């Protein structure tokens, strides 16, 4: 049979987000994949330069609605570092609580989506129903289900009361029981095994070479977890394990996430048991002095990296975000090779792709154009500012 | 008689197509959350479909990005008549928080006609289900919603 090129997307039933995969097929076998991104690129980094730090708190949150809190946490950590602000211990604990609740909701969500991709919709309904427990807890404390608006620069905006504490612990008990069940399902259920075992192989060496992050890397036996490698918030205080498996396949990615849910529950129990007393916010000035800062956190999908450059005004001068999905995409292209067409959705879904936060602008060069010129960051920045100024855009 | 039958079927079983035009995913997960057993929008016959050719209602989220503009138009054109468009979320209604970003057109209604808006950033799943039901009610009353 001849070689067929099959374009999928941008609007397609497999994923909820617009993305384009051009798959080269030999019969049923995938020979090559070409991933085209950029459909949801909105230009948030540039937009941030025209908003104040307080406004940006809410914009950063909406880089991605699923791991929204990881983004805000990064942003506030960056600003606080430049300000030299030490936030109260209690605020740190509450932030960590949210980081972990977010991981819970995201992992449940993913488990459901993975179930959906392999045609196991019952699992989808089950996990999403349990995810509502987490959503209710998030809503109870912050008032919102998705974009929590919890962080302020210098602390958090809402406190965790005694009643909240009890409800959170109750919720954890329930979720632990349910997760035991999912663990059973993931390891024993034939539907999952048949679709996930030995599918989408990513060897540890390749994973390292392609710089995979998060659960994708951990399922290939690589110990990376920013929470341990470069602890932030209150992770230095908390005992927990980094989960890895070495099956290198989609099943490994399922197992890593299910086991991580247990770790998150453990962390949340610890946090609720050791919540320190005191203030939840310190006062922060509106203007941020000149400086540079980077911050990274372990978002549910992997390392989320933010960079901030400030210039002494109320607005940032440059902001840069690198999200885990972008780091994992080269690995996806590798995983897809030599698999079957029917496995493509679950392999792509296995990295838990979140396109909203990772889309870039792409310039596709056609034919002969004059070769690009290599310039350093500083000159590029000046050129950018000039370019925008000429077109009447204000920073 | 036949017309009445079609209308009845349309109201009892609206098939929806979900399209993300550059949203932050917040609204998308809330749409899915409206379909799970807690709210169970399926009891109103709402069924999520994968192809525009099967769909009666297009549920859009997100400010239209420059890349998605043409694609949104195309998907809309592929849907069979009569078709309805529901916008979920603030940024789909007006551009919302992304107003002024260089990659954003701002508002689904700049590109295709819209029948109903569900505001919120993101709206709660109950609000989404309510919005869909209101749309159905107005179709039932006749005329364009
Ligand atoms: S309305 Fe808000 S939550 Fe919904 S997609 Fe837009 S920014 Fe995200």
């Amino acid at each position: 049979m001849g070689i067929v090129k099959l374009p999928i997307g941008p609007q397609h039933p497999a994923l909820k987000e617009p993305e384009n995969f051009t798959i080269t097929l030999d019969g049923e076998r995938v020979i090559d994949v070409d991933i085209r991104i950029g459909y949801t690129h909105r230009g948030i980094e540039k937009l941030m330069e025209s908003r104040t730090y307080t406004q940006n708190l809410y914009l950063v949150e909406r880089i991605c609605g699923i791991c929204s809190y990881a983004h805000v946490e990064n942003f506030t950590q960056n600003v606080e570092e430049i300000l030299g602000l030490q936030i109260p211990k209690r605020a740190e604990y509450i932030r960590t609580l949210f980081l972990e609740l977010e991981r819970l909701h995201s992992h449940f969500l993913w488990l459901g989506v993975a179930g959906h991709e392999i045609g196991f919709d019952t699992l989808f309904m089950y996990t999403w129903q349990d995810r509502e427990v987490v959503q209710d807890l998030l809503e109870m404390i912050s008032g919102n289900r998705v974009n929590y608006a919890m962080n302020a620069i210098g602390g958090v905006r809402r406190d965790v009361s005694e009643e909240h504490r009890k409800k959170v612990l109750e919720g954890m008990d329930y979720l632990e029981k349910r997760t035991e069940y999912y663990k059973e399902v993931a390891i024993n259920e034939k539907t999952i095994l048949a679709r996930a075992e030995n599918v989408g192989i990513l060897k540890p060496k390749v994973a390292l070479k392609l710089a995979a992050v998060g659960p994708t890397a951990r399922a290939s036996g690589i110990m990376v977890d920013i929470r341990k490698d470069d602890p932030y918030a209150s992770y230095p205080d908390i005992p927990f394990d980094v989960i890895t498996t070495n099956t290198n396949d989609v099943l490994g990615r399922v197992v890593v996430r299910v086991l991580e849910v247990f770790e998150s529950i453990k962390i949340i129990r610890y946090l609720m048991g050791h919540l320190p007393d005191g203030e939840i916010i310190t006062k922060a000035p509106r203007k941020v002095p000149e400086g540079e800062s980077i911050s990274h956190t372990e978002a549910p999908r992997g390392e989320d990296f933010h960079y901030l450059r400030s210039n002494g005004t109320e607005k940032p001068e440059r902001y840069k975000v690198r999200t885990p999905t972008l780091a994992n995409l080269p690995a996806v292209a590798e995983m897809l090779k030599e698999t079957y067409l029917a496995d493509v959705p679950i392999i792509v879904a296995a990295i838990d792709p979140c396109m909203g936060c990772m889309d870039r602008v792409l310039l596709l060069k056609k034919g002969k154009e004059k070769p690009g010129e290599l310039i350093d960051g500083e000159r590029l920045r000046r050129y950018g500012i000039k370019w925008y100024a000429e077109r009447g855009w204000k920073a | 008689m036949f017309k009445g039958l079609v209308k009845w079927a349309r109201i009892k079983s609206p098939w929806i197509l979900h399209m993300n035009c550059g949203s932050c995913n917040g609204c998308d997960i809330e749409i899915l959350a409206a379909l799970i057993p807690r709210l169970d929008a399926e009891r109103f016959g709402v069924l999520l479909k994968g192809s525009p050719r099967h769909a009666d209602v297009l549920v859009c989220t997100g400010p239209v990005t420059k890349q998605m503009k043409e694609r949104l138009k195309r998907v809309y054109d592929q849907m069979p008549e009569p078709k309805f468009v529901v916008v979920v979320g603030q940024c789909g209604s007006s551009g919302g928080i992304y107003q002024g970003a260089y990659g954003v057109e701002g508002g689904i209604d700049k590109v295709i006609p819209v029948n109903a808006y569900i505001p919120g950033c993101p709206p709660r799943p109950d609000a989404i289900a309510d919005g869909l039901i209101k749309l159905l009610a107005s179709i039932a009353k006749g005329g364009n919603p």
Side-chain angles (χ1 to χ4, degrees):
Chain A
M1 212 179 142
I3 307 283
V4 183
K5 271 203 171 171
L6 183 71
I8 304 182
Q11 210 287 328
H12 50 86
L15 291 173
K16 299 286 165 259
E17 292 165 285
E19 227 53 45
N20 177 301
F21 295 86
T22 307
I23 300 177
T24 315
L25 286 173
D26 180 5
E28 275 280 303
R29 252 189 36 227
V30 178
I31 302 179
D32 198 11
V33 223
D34 211 357
I35 304 176
R36 179 161 171 211
I37 59 171
Y39 293 101
T40 57
H41 180 80
R42 290 150 291 185
I44 293 182
E45 285 175 9
K46 187 70 198 165
L47 191 59
M48 283 182 70
E49 292 167 19
S50 61
R51 306 223 166 145
T52 65
Y53 286 100
T54 318
Q55 287 172 328
N56 274 332
L57 271 178
Y58 304 98
L59 183 58
V60 165
E61 199 157 51
R62 283 158 181 84
I63 290 174
C64 165
I66 306 179
C67 33
S68 61
Y69 197 74
H71 291 294
V72 200
E73 175 67 18
N74 266 331
F75 177 73
T76 40
Q77 276 181 16
N78 268 334
V79 178
E80 281 154 10
E81 182 171 328
I82 295 182
L83 284 172
L85 213 61
Q86 182 60 45
I87 69 163
K89 201 97 195 131
R90 190 178 174 87
E92 250 175 20
Y93 268 64
I94 296 176
R95 282 185 184 184
T96 318
L97 170 70
F98 267 74
L99 283 166
E100 287 308 318
L101 281 176
E102 183 172 80
R103 194 178 319 279
L104 281 182
H105 109 74
S106 176
H107 279 2
F108 277 121
L109 176 145
W110 177 81
L111 204 56
V113 172
H116 174 74
E117 291 314 344
I118 59 175
F120 190 6
D121 264 337
T122 321
L123 185 65
F124 170 76
M125 294 291 176
Y126 268 2
T127 50
W128 277 64
Q129 185 74 350
D130 290 334
R131 179 176 162 272
E132 287 296 308
V133 175
V134 190
Q135 297 299 93
D136 285 346
L137 293 177
L138 287 166
E139 189 183 7
M140 176 182 75
I141 302 173
S142 74
N144 282 321
R145 285 167 52 92
V146 173
N147 296 324
Y148 324 111
M150 257 314 259
N151 275 17
I153 291 161
V156 290
R157 292 175 52 220
R158 284 161 194 262
D159 204 356
V160 173
S161 71
E162 187 50 36
E163 194 198 326
H164 292 163
R165 216 175 63 89
K166 253 189 236 129
K167 285 252 173 69
V168 170
L169 287 174
E170 267 167 34
M172 289 308 118
D173 289 343
Y174 173 76
L175 289 177
E176 194 175 40
K177 238 189 282 141
R178 295 297 299 168
T179 318
E180 286 291 349
Y181 171 70
Y182 294 132
K183 195 170 130 196
E184 282 298 299
V185 170
I187 297 171
N188 297 325
E189 170 69 39
K190 290 224 170 54
T191 329
I192 294 186
L193 289 183
R195 291 298 307 275
E197 223 171 1
N198 289 325
V199 168
I201 297 286
L202 183 70
K203 290 264 158 55
K205 265 209 189 113
V206 186
L208 271 182
K209 199 174 106 209
L210 298 176
V213 294
T216 312
R218 290 199 283 276
S220 294
I222 297 169
M223 272 276 203
V224 283
D225 193 326
I226 311 299
R227 293 178 289 172
K228 271 273 194 276
D229 302 342
D230 182 13
Y232 51 96
S234 53
Y235 285 116
D237 305 353
I238 303 169
F240 71 98
D241 298 322
V242 179
I243 307 285
T244 56
T245 59
N246 48 14
T247 49
N248 307 341
D249 54 1
V250 171
L251 184 66
R253 285 161 217 145
V254 177
V255 173
V256 162
R257 288 197 175 88
V258 172
L259 296 182
E260 264 179 23
V261 168
F262 286 116
E263 289 304 310
S264 292
I265 293 177
K266 213 165 90 188
I267 295 175
I268 291 173
R269 287 213 178 110
Y270 180 90
L271 288 169
M272 292 291 95
H274 295 76
L275 201 61
D277 293 328
E279 289 289 307
I280 55 165
I281 191 163
T282 49
K283 206 160 163 38
R286 263 194 319 152
K287 286 192 176 152
V288 178
E290 229 169 280
E292 271 185 308
S293 159
I294 60 160
S295 154
H296 52 176
T297 55
E298 184 73 21
R301 289 158 181 73
E303 180 191 11
D304 182 18
F305 178 92
H306 284 216
Y307 164 81
L308 165 71
R309 186 210 296 248
S310 57
N311 56 3
T313 60
E314 289 169 10
K315 296 169 183 170
E317 177 163 291
R318 175 78 176 97
Y319 204 80
K320 167 90 195 131
V321 181
R322 206 257 2 230
T323 59
T325 305
L326 188 69
N328 276 334
L329 269 191
V332 173
E334 186 60 37
M335 288 177 214
L336 284 175
K337 279 179 194 152
E338 294 301 314
T339 52
Y340 291 104
L341 179 61
D343 289 332
V344 169
I346 179 66
I347 294 176
V348 175
I351 67 156
D352 201 352
C354 171
M355 306 302 184
C357 54
M358 93 132 198
D359 265 354
R360 320 271 129 174
V361 208
L362 292 189
L363 285 180
L364 298 178
K365 288 205 166 175
K366 282 203 203 90
K368 278 206 201 99
E369 279 179 32
K370 74 172 185 246
E373 181 193 353
L374 203 63
I375 56 174
D376 59 22
E378 189 53 34
R379 255 178 75 202
L380 179 66
R381 194 176 64 84
R382 294 238 180 81
Y383 174 77
I385 293 173
K386 205 176 107 218
W387 193 90
Y388 278 106
E390 276 168 10
R391 282 156 184 79
W393 293 53
K394 274 192 272 349
Chain B
M1 216 281 281
F2 184 62
K3 261 197 184 150
L5 186 69
V6 171
K7 190 169 155 191
W8 172 80
R10 188 170 300 132
I11 293 160
K12 290 299 175 201
S13 144
W15 286 6
I16 64 174
L17 172 72
H18 164 220
M19 187 156 174
N20 174 333
C21 310
S23 84
C24 80
N25 279 331
C27 286
D28 308 276
I29 53 179
E30 293 298 65
I31 292 174
L32 289 182
L35 295 172
I36 58 160
R38 181 187 255 191
L39 276 169
D40 197 12
E42 258 186 61
R43 70 199 140 122
F44 305 109
V46 177
L47 192 64
L48 198 60
K49 276 279 149 187
S51 160
R53 302 201 193 274
H54 297 166
D56 304 306
V57 183
L58 182 63
V59 178
C60 299
T61 57
V64 186
T65 59
K66 295 245 149 71
Q67 284 279 329
M68 285 308 283
K69 191 175 161 197
E70 288 309 311
R71 278 132 187 142
L72 175 63
K73 259 193 218 146
R74 196 151 76 214
V75 166
Y76 180 75
D77 289 341
Q78 281 173 357
M79 285 171 60
E81 287 283 352
K83 48 196 166 191
F84 306 95
V85 178
V86 179
V87 170
V88 176
Q90 206 57 56
C91 65
S93 311
S94 65
I97 192 146
Y98 305 121
Q99 255 163 20
Y102 63 76
V104 164
E105 285 289 325
I108 304 277
D109 50 7
K110 291 229 169 97
V111 184
I112 53 172
V114 173
N115 300 94
Y117 300 88
I118 303 171
C121 188
R124 295 176 52 88
D126 3 359
I128 296 175
D130 188 44
L132 277 173
I133 291 159
K134 285 215 172 96
L135 175 80
L136 297 181
S138 71
I139 300 173
K141 266 202 220 120
N144 269 336

